[in-house]
Amino acid sequence: MTSTDHRNLTEHLTTATIAADPEVPLIRITRDFHATPAQLIRAHTDPELYAQWVGPESLSTRIDHWDARTGGSWAFTNIRGDERFSFHGSFHEITEERIVQTFTFDGWPEGVSLETMRFEDLGDGWTRMHSQSLMDSFEGRNQMLDSGMDVGVHEGYAALDALLATTVTTEGAR
């Protein structure tokens, strides 16, 4: 399928595809959202919005630090009862079409991944997110895959769908 073939599809990828590259320690995630690229960029860079949708339903998110700009950094903690799971990283680039950042789970500090999210406007109010996470080893990539990340991805994106349907605009929350 070429990059323009999908524009004629009546169905969208509303369930994320998660694929491990067999040649490099890379995870690719692809998913369509009924939103503009600007709305998705905002949902990924506005800390109040991000905390509302990221991760599994069983966790809440506390933003510890957030400086969403090229050269900025971030940190958040997921909370479930007495359990805490902290993450941090740096924003390397934020543009109208993509976000490049690092991502580190504090429980595996040696496992830093480089993440690139590209937002492709499909027309008719739909955007396809192409995300890839490059780890420094296959072991680190497999730890990420085995961590339950698929649950967080699917439940988080379902929450993002709901958030996009009710509150996120390019100008601000309604």
Side-chain angles (χ1 to χ4, degrees), residues 2-164:
T2 66
S3 62
T4 57
D5 290 342
H6 60 78
R7 294 176 195 271
N8 297 323
L9 297 177
T10 55
E11 294 184 28
H12 291 279
L13 299 172
T14 55
T15 299
T17 61
I18 302 171
D21 189 295
E23 303 294 323
V24 294
L26 182 77
I27 299 169
R28 287 187 180 90
I29 300 172
T30 305
R31 186 163 184 306
D32 295 351
F33 294 91
H34 193 217
T36 66
Q39 288 171 307
L40 287 168
I41 292 281
R42 183 162 180 260
H44 281 83
T45 59
D46 181 315
E48 291 179 22
L49 296 175
Y50 188 78
Q52 292 179 52
W53 68 264
V54 72
E57 295 170 2
S58 64
L59 299 170
S60 63
T61 299
R62 179 188 71 218
I63 301 297
D64 300 316
H65 167 75
W66 203 267
D67 182 11
R69 63 180 174 81
T70 297
S73 60
W74 59 268
F76 68 84
T77 302
N78 287 141
I79 303 164
R80 178 178 33 226
D82 292 336
E83 295 178 291
R84 304 286 184 272
F85 308 95
S86 296
F87 304 85
H88 72 277
S90 298
F91 291 107
H92 290 259
E93 179 183 59
I94 298 175
T95 69
E96 294 178 3
E97 298 172 347
R98 75 181 199 157
I99 299 171
V100 179
Q101 65 185 27
T102 58
F103 182 90
T104 304
F105 170 47
D106 292 351
W108 298 330
E110 66 283 352
V112 179
S113 67
L114 178 62
E115 301 192 335
T116 302
M117 287 172 275
R118 190 170 49 82
F119 302 94
E120 177 187 6
D121 189 339
L122 300 177
D124 294 328
W126 285 88
T127 299
R128 178 162 295 162
M129 183 193 74
H130 303 272
S131 178
Q132 65 179 33
S133 298
L134 177 64
M135 281 60 134
D136 65 348
S137 69
F138 285 98
E139 178 185 24
R141 183 203 62 192
N142 294 341
Q143 283 181 319
M144 180 80 77
L145 288 168
D146 294 340
S147 71
M149 73 165 274
D150 59 323
V151 173
V153 166
H154 294 301
E155 291 181 0
Y157 288 160
L160 178 54
D161 280 335
L163 182 66
L164 289 164

